[in-house]
Amino acid sequence: MITNIPFGEKHARLSIFEPSEGTLVVVPSLSLPQDELRRIKAARCYEERLLFLLLTLREPGISVVYLSSMPIHQEIVDYYFGFLPDPDDAARRLHLITVDDPHSQPLTRSVLDRPDVVERIRAVIGDDAWLVPFVMSDLEEELAASLNVPIYGPAMSLAYYGSKSGAREIGTEAAVPMARGFGDLYTMAQIEDAVLSLPGERVMVKLNDGYSGLGNAIVPKHDWSRTEFSAGADETWTGFAAKLADRGGVVEEFIEHRPLYYPSALARITPGGHYDVVATHDQVLDGPVYQGCTFPARPEYRAEVSASAEKIAGLLAGRGVVGLFGMDFFAMKTDAGYAALLCEVNLRIGGTTHPFGAALLTTDATYDPSTGLLMRGAQPKYYTATDNCSAGCLTGRTPGEVVKMVEGLGLGFDPVRRTGNVLHLLGAIPEHGKLGFTTIGDSREEADELHRITRRALCGG
C-alpha cells in the first residue's frame, strides 16, 4: 500500500538494528578515499561488514536488498539464516544484487553505471524502503534520488561534522574535553604555524577525511624528515601536502601519556531526531589501525565517554544528522582519576557496529544506558571482537568449511546460553585466509578466554 506519510514521521524512532517493517536497501560501498583503501588487506570483503543486517529478517515485516561487488557465497547467507526462526521465509524476503565487478570501486559508482542493476533494485524495493549506507558520499545521495527512497544516514550537506576539523568544532561547542589543536588547515604555512604552537616534541597531523588510522602523520617538531606516515614508507611530505591542500586537515598535540586507552562510543539519531548512545567499546589497535574491540568500555571511563558522546549526538541531532555514527576518544589515568578526550567523530558505520549488531540480534539483549551494559534479563552480556584473524592454513577453504570447523570444536554460538562466536568477513577466507569473529560471554573473563581459544584454534596465535 502506497503511503504519503513522511519518512521521518512514519519511522520517527527507527533503529536499523530492530526495524519492524519496510525494506532495508543495504549499500555497503566503501565510498572513501581510494588511495588509503588499497592498503587494507581484503578491503573489498569489508562490504560484508553489514551482513549482520540479515538478522533483521527475523521480523516477518522486514525485507532486505543487499548490494555487493561480487556474489556473496551461499554458505555465508546460510550461516546467518541459521540464527533465524524461519530461514525459508527469510530467504523469500532477501534480495542479493551484485554488479559482479570486484575491480571497480566504489560499489555505489558501479551500481550507478549499470542502469539494469538500478532497475533491478527499483523492482524489488516496494513503497516503504530506505537506503542504509556504510558511508555517505555524493554517490549514495545520487543512488537514493534515483530510487526515490530516503537515506538512513547523514546528508552530505552535514558531512563536515564527520571530518577531523568538524569534530573539533562540534566538540568545542559541546564542551567536551579534547586534545589541544587546530582545524581547517590547508597550506604548509598553516601546518607549520600550528605545529610550533603546540607543546611537546611531537604532534599529530591528520587529513580531514582519514579513516581507520590512515591519513595520519606523527611529526617530530624539530626534524620533519623523521615523520611517521600511517600510509607507510611510500608516503612523502610532497604527497601528503597535496592531500592536505585538497582535503584539509588538523594539527593536534600528540598524547605521550602511557598507558593510553582508545575507547569509542556508538550513537544513533533516528529520522525523527531522537538520539541516544547505544554502546561504548575499547578499541584494539595495531599502531593507528583498527583491529577489533571489546564491549563495554572499561568502567573507569565508560560513563565519561558516554556522557561526552551524548552531548555530541544531541548537537548533531539538532542539525539534522540521521543514522549510526561513532566517536573515538583517548583515555588516560590522571591524579584526579581517568580523563577521556574526544579524538574524532565518524559520521558513518564503523568497525564496532557489526560486533554490536551481531551481539544485540543474537542475544536479544537490550542496552542499559545507566550501566552501559547489554542486558538479557538480569544477565549482562560482554563481547570481544576482531576483524583480523589470519592464517595461511585457512587460505583456499570455503566459508562453510570454516563454519563447520568452529562448530565442530565447540566454539560456535550456543542458542540456549546466548554465548559463543558469531563469525563475519567470511568471504575473505578463500583468497586471503582471513575472517573476523565476535565472541560473546556472560562475563568479561568468559568472552576474553573464549576469544583467545578461538583465535588459537583458527589463527594459531
Side-chain angles (χ1 to χ4, degrees), residues 63-81:
S63 296
V64 173
V65 178
Y66 201 99
L67 308 184
S68 62
S69 297
M70 285 286 286
I72 297 170
H73 201 295
Q74 185 60 46
E75 292 175 349
I76 299 175
V77 177
D78 291 343
Y79 172 71
Y80 283 98
F81 279 179

Side-chain angles (χ1 to χ4, degrees), residues 45-377:
C45 295
Y46 280 73
E47 291 179 5
E48 294 184 11
R49 259 187 175 174
L50 299 190
L51 281 174
F52 77 89
L53 290 172
L54 270 58
L55 301 179
T56 64
L57 290 165
R58 65 184 183 174
E59 291 293 332
I62 289 296
S63 296
V64 173
V65 178
Y66 201 99
L67 308 184
S68 62
S69 297
M70 285 286 286
I72 297 170
H73 201 295
Q74 185 60 46
E75 292 175 349
I76 299 175
V77 177
D78 291 343
Y79 172 71
Y80 283 98
F81 279 179
F83 292 95
L84 302 179
D86 190 345
D88 291 337
D89 182 55
R92 287 189 285 271
R93 292 179 281 112
L94 172 64
H95 305 275
L96 299 173
I97 297 178
T98 176
V99 295
D100 205 3
D101 184 1
H103 305 296
S104 179
Q105 290 291 342
L107 167 62
T108 309
R109 178 179 293 127
S110 301
V111 171
L112 289 167
D113 288 343
R114 291 278 302 277
D116 60 315
V117 174
V118 175
E119 189 54 43
R120 283 184 61 196
I121 301 168
R122 191 178 290 120
V124 298
I125 58 176
D127 303 312
D128 186 14
W130 57 90
L131 211 69
V132 182
F134 174 76
V135 62
M136 278 296 296
S137 74
D138 293 336
L139 297 172
E140 283 68 41
E141 288 196 332
E142 183 180 347
L143 179 58
S146 178
L147 297 171
N148 193 29
V149 297
I151 304 174
Y152 192 90
M156 282 305 293
S157 60
L158 302 169
Y160 174 74
Y161 295 114
S163 71
K164 303 300 185 291
S165 295
R168 292 198 63 82
E169 180 178 312
I170 206 75
T172 299
E173 188 172 345
V176 302
M178 290 186 294
R180 288 167 288 190
F182 305 89
D184 291 316
L185 308 178
Y186 288 84
T187 70
M188 286 306 298
Q190 291 174 324
I191 298 294
E192 290 167 3
D193 286 345
V195 167
L196 294 175
S197 298
L198 291 172
E201 294 301 311
R202 296 188 288 177
V203 299
M204 181 73 78
V205 183
K206 304 177 186 176
L207 297 177
N208 267 337
D209 57 358
Y211 56 91
S212 295
L214 300 171
N216 295 350
I218 301 174
V219 183
K221 293 175 67 172
H222 303 295
D223 187 358
W224 286 39
S225 68
R226 295 173 52 237
T227 296
E228 299 174 29
F229 294 101
S230 62
D234 58 340
E235 183 67 277
T236 66
W237 265 113
T238 299
F240 197 72
K243 294 174 186 177
L244 281 165
D246 181 45
R247 290 137 64 176
V250 302
V251 174
E252 295 175 339
E253 64 178 318
F254 185 84
I255 307 298
E256 301 281 3
H257 192 286
R258 296 295 182 273
L260 192 61
Y261 305 96
Y262 306 94
S264 68
L266 182 63
R268 69 180 161 208
I269 303 174
T270 71
H274 304 281
Y275 64 92
D276 57 354
V277 175
V278 299
T280 63
H281 296 88
D282 277 313
Q283 299 181 90
V284 179
L285 305 179
D286 180 7
V289 180
Y290 175 85
Q291 300 291 307
C293 64
T294 61
F295 170 93
R298 290 165 61 103
E300 291 89 345
Y301 45 74
R302 186 190 308 159
E304 183 178 352
V305 168
S306 184
S308 291
E310 186 169 17
K311 291 178 182 178
I312 294 166
L315 285 175
L316 293 175
R319 284 162 169 73
V321 169
V322 171
L324 281 172
F325 64 99
M327 291 155 276
D328 294 343
F329 295 80
F330 296 119
M332 65 198 81
K333 188 174 184 180
T334 69
D335 292 339
Y338 280 81
L341 306 179
L342 176 67
C343 176
E344 59 191 50
V345 177
N346 298 304
L347 286 187
R348 57 176 173 81
I349 290 174
T352 62
T353 307
H354 182 285
F356 177 75
L360 188 76
L361 291 167
T362 56
T363 64
D364 286 325
T366 57
Y367 182 72
D368 180 355
S370 65
T371 62
L373 296 174
L374 271 178
M375 302 296 298
R376 186 171 189 263

